[in-house]
Amino acid sequence: MEKRNKFTIKMQKKLVVLFGLVLLAFAGLSARLILINKDNGEQYKKQVLSQQQYSSTTIPYKRGEILDSKGTKLAASEKVYDLVLDVKAMNNKEDYVEPTIQALSDYFDVDTGKVREYVQEHPDSQYYVLKKRMSYDEISDYQAMMADENQKETSQYIKGIWFDESYKRVYPNDSLASDVIGFTRTDGTGTYGLEEYYDSVLSGVNGRTYGYMDSDENLQRTTEPAVDGYNIYSTIDATIQGIVEKYLKKYNDENKNVAREGNGAQDISAIVMDVDSGEVLAMASYPFFNLNDTRDTSALIGSRLIDVSGNTTTTVINEEIAASLEEKDKNDLLVQNLNALWKNYCINSTYEPGSTMKPFVAAMGLEDGRLKGNESFECTGIVEIGGYKIRCHNYSTSGAEGWLTIDQAIERSCNIALIKMAQVIGNDEFLKYMEEFNFGLKTNIDLAGEARTASLVFNSNTLGPTELATSSFGQGFNVTMIQMITGFCSLINGGYYYEPHMVSKITASDGSVVENIEPRLLKQTVSAETSAKIRDYCVQVVEGENGTGKRARPAGYRIGGKTGTAETVSAQGTREKDEYVVSFLGYAPADDPQIAIYVVLNRPNARNQDLETRKACIIAKNILTEVLPYLNIFMTEPLTEEEEKELEEMQIDIRQQLSAGVSGNDVSGNEAGTGTGAETGTGTGDPDSGEAAGGDAAAGQEGEQTQESNPYVNADGELVDPDTGEKITEDTPGYDLPVSGLLNGSDAGEAGARDEPPSGLSFTP
């Protein structure tokens, strides 16, 4: 009988064990591959891609640009190149080594000693990065040499040098609008400002080149192009932004180290906004920082040190402290202080607004009908409410103010009169209008990091008699700068509350418009009648005999506004009697508001901080002096000799000022009427109608001026270039004469009847 082989149990067990060992080996190998891919996958991937011509490669997208309202680049992306050496390719032949290393030395200033050391230790390396983020100029000579047919004898022996392409973010104006723009991290993600808020818009999609071998072993390629990010046009005007930043820095330079070591104020901030659209024309807070070097600690010098818990200390950062922050063991401290530097005070920080709140309170009563506008309130100097004695801010110098009308109370900034107005308004109406003006709510401005203030204002459960009283003059609750100026614009533009915004247009990389962002009208806070009264009150603040904002008036313009002084609150919740937030909130021109301006100084570097409101006014005045002519907003008043001298001292070209509004005169040299409607009228024009009331347009009676006082007019009454003496016509380069009849004054008597004065003469340098 034939003997059969049997698959015994012993053999089965051996097979199971063998199979188990094989499985374990595969599992171990898989685990190892996973770990290698996790730790070094990207490096190996690049090594493979560098050698296999038919593998896929990534094409980086270009991040969209950020531009100002006129197309000036504020942020752009620039292609950069990482210098990579494929050691294995260079070692493929001995003849390649020395020429390649020499090329690295000649064209890229690479330390050849380090290269040789690396080559010896890693002879099979295919991805050795020698330099990162090089510009095209830095690699162009090498590329030209490699492409030059006359250099073939040398270039044919250079192997393994190639470039990994990517983009880096660049900011052409360094620190200009740094708080508004924000910046990108090393991975290209936006952080702070517009870069963060519009990150998904600015970001694109990487492309890829695919290569594969077909059935005939031919190399086939397919390219999926990168999709670049969209560009955004900001409402910021780079010129206005530059003017604002110039005067914020000027204030700091003039006031640092005055009463204590450190900057001119803990925060120095300003916003300029278009009254009728909510567009932000400029927004800045000092200290600024360089967007191309965001971790530069020198920008922190003069600021108060932030501790690791995020609390502000009394220590002022000097050069030694700034340098020490870069030490590794102080990384947490560095992060806290850099975060404080990068934040935008205009939207991130909250404070008590002080007396800039008073026009809002008056508007509440007028709009509700509980105030008629003809009331008077007695200022007794001190009033006791809820067991607290509240003083009028003028009490220490002027004592009790006596009986004041509403406009007088706003002009003098009388606390007691405002308290009594708030009592007439009552809690419910007061809270209703607080919400109407968006206090306690976010404005939803399109910038990253707007602070929430819902918990920082009173509600029906927390607003008692004392809280109502202090709220009437802007103490006890917190706001942001963007809340205040946006609400104020609605107060003086007829009551129209526009959502503030920073971007007006989004375009594709080819220039086509993706989206136009129109002004968004949200509501009407007050009526046109109430708005007109508030404008009148605010003009008195600047022009009135007892006005607190006189220093804010720019030469040649009537404006309105309101000053503010508020005690600060410490981190422990106690009131700092010697530390204040002072401010000026205003608009121009007085009778036709076009732009609003808000200047805030947080804890000025002064012995008497509460008196520094005048400095906030001066900053606003200086900014408006340059911005208004730039925006072709004409002068509304004739210049005095003192004002002309003042403009000369500011190094402002008076001729350019005159050209914008002809200095409040018609171009024949006749002095303008004194009223708001008689800006180009002659003689002593009627302030309401603008009609001449005793001056002849041709002869210039009452207000006659000589050629010396008006360099644009010669002895024959002809318009001339003051530098060359040549006659100016409609064809003269650099000049624009849009209104006929100005030379003979025929428009003079009609000026006040129109919504806007005649265009007059404009000058383009």
Side-chain angles (χ1 to χ4, degrees):
M1 187 174 181
E2 187 178 352
K3 187 177 180 180
R4 293 183 179 180
N5 293 327
K6 293 185 178 180
F7 191 51
T8 64
I9 294 175
K10 186 177 180 181
M11 294 173 64
Q12 292 176 12
K13 287 181 178 180
K14 286 182 178 180
L15 184 60
V16 169
V17 171
L18 180 61
F19 184 68
L21 290 173
V22 172
L23 284 178
L24 285 173
F26 272 111
L29 181 60
S30 298
R32 180 60 179 158
L33 287 172
I34 290 171
L35 288 173
I36 290 174
N37 187 59
K38 178 182 177 183
D39 297 335
N40 306 102
E42 189 64 28
Q43 179 182 348
Y44 291 140
K45 176 184 174 183
K46 289 183 176 180
Q47 289 178 1
V48 172
L49 292 178
S50 68
Q51 291 301 300
Q52 297 185 4
Q53 295 180 354
Y54 51 84
S55 55
S56 63
T57 57
T58 299
I59 303 172
Y61 72 83
K62 183 178 181 182
R63 187 174 177 86
E65 296 177 341
I66 300 176
L67 306 100
D68 86 334
S69 58
K70 291 182 169 59
T72 300
K73 288 184 183 179
L74 302 177
S77 290
E78 198 173 81
K79 186 170 282 190
V80 290
Y81 308 84
D82 291 350
L83 174 62
V84 181
L85 175 63
D86 183 341
V87 178
K88 189 175 182 180
M90 182 184 72
N91 285 338
N92 194 39
K93 281 188 180 182
E94 190 176 337
D95 293 344
Y96 297 158
V97 177
E98 288 305 320
T100 302
I101 293 177
Q102 188 61 45
L104 291 172
S105 175
D106 293 343
Y107 290 95
F108 305 109
D109 196 25
V110 170
D111 186 337
T112 56
K114 288 185 178 180
V115 174
R116 293 180 192 280
E117 183 180 340
Y118 183 88
V119 169
Q120 189 172 1
E121 294 176 359
H122 307 87
D124 294 324
S125 171
Q126 293 176 285
Y127 194 78
Y128 176 31
V129 180
L130 293 163
K131 280 191 172 184
K132 288 189 172 185
R133 302 173 78 80
M134 301 173 69
S135 68
Y136 178 75
D137 289 342
E138 292 176 288
I139 71 169
S140 59
D141 288 346
Y142 170 79
Q143 289 187 321
M145 181 272 294
M146 293 296 288
D148 190 347
E149 291 294 329
N150 297 324
Q151 299 281 345
K152 276 290 182 184
E153 236 179 84
T154 302
S155 62
Q156 65 178 327
Y157 294 103
I158 298 173
K159 302 294 181 181
I161 297 176
W162 61 285
F163 303 99
D164 203 359
E165 297 181 358
S166 61
Y167 286 95
K168 75 171 182 178
R169 202 63 163 162
V170 293
Y171 301 92
N173 302 292
D174 291 329
S175 64
L176 185 75
S178 54
D179 286 336
V180 170
I181 298 170
F183 52 93
T184 58
R185 296 194 288 262
T186 52
D187 63 357
T189 305
T191 182
Y192 293 100
L194 294 170
E195 291 277 28
E196 180 176 340
Y197 191 93
Y198 285 96
D199 186 57
S200 61
V201 174
L202 294 164
S203 298
V205 180
N206 284 331
R208 187 171 290 276
T209 297
Y210 298 93
Y212 61 93
M213 303 299 290
D214 63 17
S215 58
D216 296 325
E217 295 188 354
N218 293 319
L219 178 63
Q220 301 294 331
R221 288 189 178 278
T222 300
T223 299
E224 217 174 86
V227 179
D228 293 337
Y230 291 146
N231 305 317
I232 61 174
Y233 281 76
S234 170
T235 59
I236 290 289
D237 185 309
T239 300
I240 299 176
Q241 182 75 25
I243 292 169
V244 169
E245 292 187 9
K246 175 176 70 174
Y247 286 111
L248 296 189
K249 185 178 184 303
K250 182 175 185 287
Y251 170 85
N252 182 73
D253 292 345
E254 293 175 350
N255 293 275
K256 63 183 178 183
N257 304 323
V258 169
R260 61 177 186 270
E261 184 186 3
N263 287 336
Q266 189 167 317
D267 299 282
I268 311 165
S269 306
I271 300 175
V272 178
M273 179 179 281
D274 186 303
V275 166
D276 293 316
S277 68
E279 292 186 351
V280 177
L281 306 181
M283 177 185 285
S285 57
Y286 189 90
F288 316 129
F289 60 93
N290 188 343
L291 291 168
N292 292 306
D293 188 6
T294 57
R295 301 181 72 85
D296 178 12
T297 57
S298 66
L300 296 168
I301 296 173
S303 299
R304 293 188 186 182
L305 183 71
I306 310 296
D307 64 23
V308 291
S309 301
N311 299 315
T312 303
T313 69
T314 56
T315 302
V316 175
I317 299 174
N318 55 27
E319 291 183 8
E320 183 179 350
I321 294 174
S324 72
L325 289 175
E326 298 182 16
E327 298 172 7
K328 287 184 178 180
D329 61 339
K330 294 186 178 179
N331 185 62
D332 291 342
L333 196 61
L334 175 63
V335 169
Q336 289 287 2
N337 284 274
L338 287 177
N339 282 335
L341 175 67
W342 297 334
K343 285 182 179 178
N344 184 345
Y345 183 86
C346 299
I347 65 167
N348 291 147
S349 300
T350 67
Y351 57 93
E352 296 181 2
S355 293
T356 50
M357 185 64 190
K358 290 173 180 175
F360 290 91
V361 176
M364 293 177 187
L366 292 170
E367 188 64 19
D368 185 57
R370 303 192 183 199
L371 295 178
K372 305 300 181 185
N374 56 0
E375 296 89 346
S376 293
F377 299 89
E378 185 181 11
C379 172
T380 55
I382 301 177
V383 62
E384 185 172 336
I385 300 175
Y388 297 93
K389 288 185 177 180
I390 302 175
R391 294 172 177 263
C392 183
H393 88 101
N394 293 322
Y395 184 71
S396 59
T397 56
S398 307
E401 300 275 11
W403 288 93
L404 300 173
T405 59
I406 296 176
D407 60 331
Q408 290 173 333
I410 301 294
E411 175 188 341
R412 297 169 182 248
S413 200
C414 174
N415 291 346
I416 305 303
L418 265 296
I419 289 173
K420 294 181 177 180
M421 288 184 211
Q423 290 172 337
V424 171
I425 294 167
N427 287 25
D428 291 343
E429 290 300 310
F430 190 90
L431 290 174
K432 167 190 165 185
Y433 280 101
M434 285 287 286
E435 184 173 341
E436 193 70 18
F437 289 120
N438 246 52
F439 297 126
L441 304 173
K442 292 178 71 172
T443 65
N444 289 325
I445 187 171
D446 47 345
L447 282 177
E450 183 181 7
R452 294 182 179 275
T453 57
S455 62
L456 304 177
V457 297
F458 296 114
N459 55 45
S460 57
N461 296 320
T462 58
L463 186 69
T466 305
E467 290 76 21
L468 178 64
T470 57
S471 294
S472 70
F473 51 85
Q475 297 265 196
F477 68 95
N478 279 35
V479 298
T480 61
M481 284 185 68
I482 194 63
Q483 282 179 332
M484 286 298 291
I485 192 170
T486 306
F488 186 70
C489 284
S490 77
L491 270 189
I492 49 99
N493 72 0
Y496 302 106
Y497 189 99
Y498 289 92
E499 183 177 74
H501 63 283
M502 302 293 308
V503 170
S504 60
K505 184 170 62 175
I506 299 173
T507 66
S509 57
D510 62 3
S512 59
V513 177
V514 175
E515 181 182 1
N516 280 312
I517 301 175
E518 301 295 337
R520 187 181 177 196
L521 178 62
L522 299 182
K523 54 191 170 183
Q524 185 165 8
T525 56
V526 296
S527 66
E529 292 75 17
T530 297
S531 178
K533 288 182 180 179
I534 298 301
R535 289 199 298 271
D536 290 341
Y537 298 161
C538 289
V539 170
Q540 284 300 104
V541 172
V542 178
E543 294 186 351
E545 183 180 349
N546 299 292
T548 58
K550 290 181 179 179
R551 290 181 176 86
R553 180 183 178 273
Y557 293 91
R558 296 183 71 231
I559 70 167
K562 185 69 189 76
T563 54
T565 307
E567 292 175 351
T568 59
V569 179
S570 69
Q572 292 73 35
T574 58
R575 293 211 166 267
E576 303 290 339
K577 293 292 184 181
D578 58 345
E579 293 197 335
Y580 294 84
V581 175
V582 298
S583 57
F584 176 78
L585 180 56
Y587 64 91
D591 301 304
D592 180 23
Q594 295 182 45
I595 63 169
I597 184 170
Y598 191 21
V599 176
V600 173
L601 305 177
N602 177 27
R603 296 175 173 86
N605 195 334
R607 292 176 179 83
N608 297 299
Q609 293 186 17
D610 56 329
L611 301 180
E612 290 297 281
T613 306
R614 57 194 175 89
K615 297 278 183 71
C617 290
I618 292 171
I619 293 173
K621 171 186 178 177
N622 290 339
I623 292 171
L624 291 174
T625 297
E626 292 197 42
V627 168
L628 291 172
Y630 169 74
L631 291 175
N632 290 322
I633 298 175
F634 304 147
M635 284 188 176
T636 57
E637 301 295 303
L639 288 172
T640 64
E641 290 184 5
E642 291 181 3
E643 289 172 335
E644 290 188 6
K645 183 178 179 182
E646 180 184 344
L647 292 178
E648 289 175 356
E649 290 175 353
M650 289 179 67
Q651 297 183 337
I652 304 293
D653 189 346
I654 296 179
R655 289 177 300 171
Q656 188 171 351
Q657 295 274 0
L658 289 168
S659 68
V662 203
S663 188
N665 308 322
D666 76 6
V667 293
S668 62
N670 299 313
E671 187 173 352
T674 58
T676 60
E679 292 154 7
T680 56
T682 60
T684 58
D686 186 303
D688 296 319
S689 68
E691 294 177 358
D696 179 78
Q701 298 170 6
E702 294 273 345
E704 184 174 354
Q705 295 184 344
T706 65
Q707 180 183 354
E708 182 180 1
S709 63
N710 191 338
Y712 283 92
V713 181
N714 63 17
D716 298 324
E718 295 174 325
L719 200 60
V720 296
D721 186 310
D723 293 326
T724 65
E726 295 180 0
K727 186 176 177 181
I728 298 174
T729 68
E730 294 181 359
D731 299 324
T732 302
Y735 290 88
D736 180 24
L737 301 174
V739 179
S740 62
L742 278 176
L743 286 175
N744 60 23
S746 62
D747 279 352
E750 299 174 0
R754 290 200 288 260
D755 293 338
E756 297 179 356
S759 299
L761 170 67
S762 63
F763 171 65
T764 306

